[in-house]
Amino acid sequence: QVQLVESGGALVQAGGSLRISCAASGSILSISAMGWYRQALGKQRELVASLTTGQTTQIAESVKGRFTISRDGAKNTVFLQMNSLKPEDTGVYYCYVKGIDSRTRAEFSSGAQGTQVTVSS
């Protein structure tokens, strides 16, 4: 079983910065991808950023140039650095992890409970 713990969500002013993190633990043999979705009130969930073990990065157009995704492989932790925040960045941010379970050798995909990011104008 894989557990994800997110942290760092907060209320920030427009133009500010925030870094959120997500630590994965449990029966992890290897991780193939980590990333972040977000969902604003009344809107569909969207992929914000993803990072594969091969360092392939995908960033949503709406945040390109402002958000950066990175990973601490030794700690199975993924970070989302958010700069120049805008009110439209407000939402619940969910991290996810894909990899191989060390007990079953099967692929897994886990999602976290979400962390609230609110950007005031």
Side-chain angles (χ1 to χ4, degrees), residues 22 68 71 96:
C22 175
T68 303
R71 176 186 167 187
Y96 73 90

Side-chain angles (χ1 to χ4, degrees), residues 12 26 60 65 90:
V12 296
T90 295

Side-chain angles (χ1 to χ4, degrees), residues 1-78:
Q1 189 174 3
V2 177
Q3 298 83 37
L4 303 180
V5 177
E6 297 178 341
S7 61
L11 169 65
V12 296
Q13 289 189 331
S17 297
L18 190 66
R19 189 176 81 159
I20 56 178
S21 63
C22 175
S25 63
S27 55
I28 299 172
L29 178 64
S30 63
I31 291 177
S32 58
M34 304 180 83
W36 296 90
Y37 285 87
R38 70 182 179 187
Q39 186 165 22
L41 195 62
K43 295 187 178 181
Q44 288 188 327
R45 187 174 295 193
E46 65 171 336
L47 179 65
V48 177
S50 65
L51 179 64
T52 67
T53 301
Q55 298 301 309
T56 299
T57 302
Q58 181 178 357
I59 304 289
E61 286 296 324
S62 58
V63 304
K64 196 166 290 185
R66 301 187 296 120
F67 289 14
T68 303
I69 186 171
S70 62
R71 176 186 167 187
D72 181 336
K75 298 180 180 179
N76 288 337
T77 300
V78 63

